[in-house]
């Protein structure tokens, strides 16, 4: 149930799909991407895509390109940000790295032979779980940004 006065979701239903399409485009091209091209690829109407581009620009995910002052806002994307790559899943977030580490530790426990190796893997997993996900995310973020190095 939605709280009174709140707007309906626009991130998952509109903006994230447009962002994913923009990241996909700029991953292989340096050419501007028009709202009409996105709309055609996605089977959406152009006005919905323009609204999304304007919202994504306000959030700092994309940079709009306007051919002239009379161009319609949201009509074209010039580039996407690094955060756009992370939100679209093309680059990892600290949360995703922490989740992958947890999955890898669980797999190590599952695949380890019985005995000392399985015990070590289990202790490593238990320590990770005991420290908590927030700690793991902080460590993953530190490693990703270089604040924590392995050397």
């Amino acid at each position: 149930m939605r709280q009174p006065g709140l707007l309906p979701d626009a991130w998952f239903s509109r903006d994230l799909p447009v962002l994913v399409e923009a990241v996909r485009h700029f991953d292989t091209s340096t050419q501007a991407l028009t709202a009409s091209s996105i709309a055609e690829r996605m089977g959406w109407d152009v006005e919905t895509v323009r609204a999304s581009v304007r919202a994504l620009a306000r959030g700092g995910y994309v940079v709009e390109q306007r051919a002239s002052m009379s161009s319609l806002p949201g009509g074209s994307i010039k580039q996407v940000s690094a955060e756009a790559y992370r939100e679209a899943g093309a680059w990892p977030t600290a949360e995703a790295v922490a989740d992958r580490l947890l999955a890898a530790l669980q797999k190590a426990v599952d695949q380890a032979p019985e005995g000392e190796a399985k015990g070590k893997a289990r202790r490593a997993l238990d320590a990770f779980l005991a420290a908590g996900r927030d700690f793991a995310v902080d460590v993953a973020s530190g490693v990703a940004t270089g604040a924590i190095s392995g050397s």
Side-chain angles (χ1 to χ4, degrees):
M1 185 165 109
R2 218 172 64 217
Q3 293 180 4
L6 294 181
L7 297 173
D9 168 70
W11 178 250
F12 291 105
S13 63
R14 184 191 71 188
D15 300 339
L16 184 58
V18 169
L19 185 63
V20 168
E21 190 61 38
V23 168
R24 185 177 289 126
H25 170 81
F26 285 103
D27 200 40
T28 60
S29 176
T30 59
Q31 300 297 313
L33 178 62
T34 64
S36 58
S37 294
I38 297 170
E40 186 177 315
R41 291 178 195 171
M42 298 178 70
W44 290 10
D45 67 276
V46 176
E47 289 309 314
T48 299
V49 174
R50 281 193 181 119
S52 177
V53 170
R54 290 190 304 270
L56 292 168
R58 282 189 298 276
Y61 294 104
V62 303
V63 175
E64 285 186 78
Q65 177 173 305
R66 305 259 319 256
S68 68
M69 289 306 291
S70 63
S71 300
L72 290 173
S76 185
I77 299 172
K78 182 179 178 178
Q79 66 186 39
V80 296
S81 68
E83 188 62 24
Y85 271 82
R86 283 187 278 282
E87 288 293 335
W91 288 359
T93 62
E95 292 83 1
V97 171
D99 290 343
R100 289 181 70 183
L101 178 57
L102 175 60
L105 288 169
Q106 183 62 59
K107 187 175 182 179
V109 170
D110 295 344
Q111 294 180 347
E114 290 298 326
E116 186 177 346
K118 191 172 211 70
K120 285 182 180 180
R122 170 51 62 193
R123 285 191 297 279
L125 176 60
D126 289 346
F128 181 87
L129 293 171
R133 187 169 189 280
D134 289 345
F135 175 76
V137 169
D138 289 346
V139 170
S141 177
V143 170
T145 62
I148 301 172
S149 74
S151 55

